[in-house]
Amino acid sequence: MDFVIIGGDAAGMSAAMQIVRNSEGHSITVLEHGGITSYGQCGLPYVLSGDVESTEDLIARDPETFREKYGIDVRTYHTVTEVDCDHKVVYGKDDQGVGFELSYDRLLVASGAAPVMPPWQGRELEGIYTLKTIPDIKEIIAATTKDKERVTIIGGGYIGLEMAESFVSIGKNVRLIDRGPQLAKIFDEEMGELVHEEAERNGVELHLGESVEGFKGDQHVQSVITDKGEYESDLVLVAVGVTPNTSFMKNTGVYKGMNDAIAVNAFMETSIMDIYAAGDCATQYHRIKKKDDYIPLGTHANKQGQIAGLNMIDQRRSFRGIVGTSILKFFDLTLARTGLSEREAENEKIPYKKITIASTHAAGYYSKENRMTLKIIYHEHTGQLLGAQIIGGQGADKRIDVFATALFHEMSINELEDLDLAYAPPYNSVWDPLQQAARKAD
């Protein structure tokens, strides 16, 4: 059987390896738009800060390893332009502009997502960047010379916050602009205030509720223009979101869901027979919302890719869905969340109650440091857990994973109290902060 995989990163190569490890006699061809396969995109900001020594450290396996050790025909710099699902043919061009066509028995679309660059005037000026790939971070690092002191970041999501910290760590003056009223909009408003305080404490100049209109400069960017002012800038990072790379599927009739992502079922099958999709170009089933969602993260891409690969060789396994868990480091804070925020619960018309407490990672008599703010949302009538947000120091990661597990198993606020969690004074109180919050439930 001939397998063709579009995309050579997390989802695509996870699928390819499952096919190799669990079957024999198949042909596997991977078409990768860039020149690098299987690397950790989430580590890119930490190369700029120096926490990760080199971009080479982010690469799990290079194309040569896949070719020579695993027999996977990885073709880099091959861009797919069209899919003919009636005749099962993929068309595209290589980096020399030479066209190719490739037949398949089963196809996996794992083409990922691309950074959004709004149609702002002056966006073509030098010194304006997005961040998604290793070549992107290399360009940004090369541009952060000593004379480039003023950095403007547009967008207060994951990438914007992580890159703000990295730029500050190498001595840059950082301004962060977001058109919304708060940073980290995946958190509720009062939790977002903690993020604002941390940004300002570390010298990040915030401009919230401010919309970018364009850029000025003579070849190289010199300023960012918004609806409220003009700000001199030597380097600009645009981090306003991503969009699925699915344009080459536009004439196939494949069904798409949120954000133009390809809709898939639990087996990563699309609406067209023998075409699968996984990763940042596909939807994910949200276990709390009980419907498809679009939350493009590396954890989901690897899981979906693995499951797609197994199903492509008829080893049926389903994707159990997500609960919306994410975490990021922002200076001395850990920002962690899972499940639904208040805003999401309201959008889903779910009646809810909330509890917010201040606690510590360790027993109060052992240490007053590593304080955390913890918020729990639960169903008003049934008590079923709906979501949690934790912002603090040490221990936030542990608690958010406990809560994500509880969400996955549809536990109630009362059942949270019953969990047998580890306790010793350096690590916890006799009642974990999650349980402290649960005990305050009505």
Side-chain angles (χ1 to χ4, degrees):
M1 186 173 287
D2 293 328
F3 296 110
V4 173
I5 297 173
I6 303 172
D9 197 12
M13 299 320 298
S14 292
M17 290 303 298
Q18 289 301 310
I19 296 171
V20 168
R21 289 170 174 159
N22 294 282
S23 65
E24 295 180 351
H26 300 301
S27 166
I28 307 170
T29 304
V30 176
L31 303 172
E32 167 54 39
H33 173 73
I36 302 170
T37 55
S38 198
Y39 67 96
Q41 291 182 12
C42 298
L44 295 174
Y46 305 107
V47 181
L48 174 65
S49 65
D51 293 302
V52 175
E53 186 174 339
S54 166
T55 55
E56 295 299 315
D57 297 328
L58 301 179
I59 301 173
R61 295 188 182 96
D62 58 27
E64 289 73 22
T65 300
F66 284 115
R67 294 180 191 124
E68 296 170 7
K69 186 174 180 178
Y70 300 105
I72 300 170
D73 182 9
V74 177
R75 303 183 188 183
T76 54
Y77 303 109
H78 277 57
T79 300
V80 174
T81 57
E82 184 182 354
V83 173
D84 181 346
C85 52
D86 293 327
H87 299 93
K88 292 190 171 183
V89 179
V90 173
Y91 297 92
K93 293 183 179 180
D94 63 17
D95 58 334
Q96 303 299 314
V98 178
F100 67 84
E101 59 180 78
L102 194 62
S103 298
Y104 66 86
D105 292 308
R106 287 180 178 169
L107 172 70
L108 171 63
V109 181
S111 48
V116 172
M117 175 62 79
W120 291 317
Q121 185 175 0
R123 65 188 180 280
E124 73 285 347
L125 290 170
E126 295 176 5
I128 301 173
Y129 302 93
T130 58
L131 178 60
K132 192 71 167 66
T133 67
I134 285 179
D136 291 340
I137 197 64
K138 286 183 174 180
E139 286 187 20
I140 292 170
I141 291 171
T144 53
T145 53
K146 289 184 178 179
D147 61 324
K148 302 291 193 303
E149 294 296 326
R150 299 165 301 185
V151 174
T152 297
I153 297 172
I154 304 170
Y158 299 111
I159 296 297
L161 294 177
E162 289 170 345
M163 288 295 284
E165 178 182 353
S166 291
F167 278 121
V168 168
S169 75
I170 61 172
K172 302 304 178 184
N173 299 316
V174 178
R175 173 183 290 108
L176 199 156
I177 301 173
D178 195 291
R179 67 181 181 180
Q182 74 170 75
L183 302 177
K185 290 184 282 291
I186 57 173
F187 291 87
D188 287 322
E189 183 177 353
E190 74 275 21
M191 304 295 278
E193 287 297 325
L194 302 174
V195 184
H196 299 171
E197 292 170 7
E198 184 72 359
E200 291 169 348
R201 189 175 71 82
N202 286 277
V204 177
E205 184 178 328
L206 298 182
H207 294 262
L208 302 176
E210 197 160 343
S211 297
V212 171
E213 295 181 344
F215 309 98
K216 280 186 179 179
D218 182 12
Q219 290 191 314
H220 194 282
V221 66
Q222 295 175 331
S223 64
V224 178
I225 303 166
T226 75
D227 59 349
K228 294 184 180 179
E230 182 174 344
Y231 309 104
E232 293 184 348
S233 303
D234 301 312
L235 185 151
V236 175
L237 175 70
V238 178
V240 296
V242 297
T243 186
N245 289 318
T246 57
S247 59
F248 56 86
M249 298 293 290
K250 63 183 178 182
N251 295 321
T252 62
V254 69
Y255 182 73
K256 294 181 181 179
M258 292 185 63
N259 293 58
D260 217 25
I262 297 174
V264 293
N265 64 15
F267 304 100
M268 301 296 102
E269 297 166 325
T270 72
S271 58
I272 297 177
M273 185 176 294
D274 293 330
I275 297 182
Y276 300 73
D280 291 0
C281 65
T283 59
Q284 302 88 31
Y285 179 74
H286 199 296
R287 293 175 63 90
I288 312 301
K289 296 180 182 178
K290 305 295 184 185
K291 65 181 183 180
D292 286 345
D293 207 338
Y294 181 65
I295 305 177
L297 293 174
T299 48
H300 308 156
N302 279 279
K303 291 173 189 173
Q304 287 190 315
Q306 174 179 289
I307 289 169
L310 291 172
N311 285 301
M312 289 170 75
I313 54 173
D314 296 320
Q315 294 191 17
R316 300 291 276 178
R317 182 174 172 183
S318 63
F319 180 62
R320 300 288 299 280
I322 65 172
V323 293
T325 309
S326 62
I327 189 169
L328 69 127
K329 177 183 177 295
F330 187 55
F331 295 104
D332 293 329
L333 290 182
T334 296
L335 318 181
R337 61 98 71 193
T338 188
L340 306 184
S341 64
E342 282 194 66
R343 187 182 305 112
E344 288 174 304
E346 289 166 0
N347 289 342
E348 298 300 316
K349 295 181 172 52
I350 299 174
Y352 68 90
K353 289 186 175 181
K354 61 183 178 180
I355 302 165
T356 302
I357 67 166
S359 188
T360 58
H361 168 61
Y365 58 79
Y366 182 89
S367 174
K368 301 295 183 184
E369 299 178 354
N370 291 310
R371 299 194 66 80
M372 66 177 71
T373 300
L374 186 151
K375 179 176 183 177
I376 288 178
I377 299 170
Y378 61 101
H379 198 287
E380 181 179 8
H381 305 307
T382 67
Q384 182 177 337
L385 297 172
L386 297 175
Q389 300 167 44
I390 308 174
I391 294 183
Q394 187 177 353
D397 55 340
K398 164 187 172 179
R399 271 98 190 174
I400 210 67
D401 282 342
V402 169
F403 202 95
T405 303
L407 282 179
F408 189 91
H409 292 286
E410 300 182 348
M411 292 176 62
S412 71
I413 189 80
N414 292 330
E415 288 175 319
L416 202 59
E417 291 185 55
D418 299 331
L419 292 178
D420 182 16
L421 302 178
Y423 161 66
Y427 303 104
N428 212 342
S429 298
V430 289
W431 290 101
D432 183 88
L434 288 173
Q435 296 171 317
Q436 293 173 32
R439 296 178 74 193
K440 292 180 179 295
D442 294 341

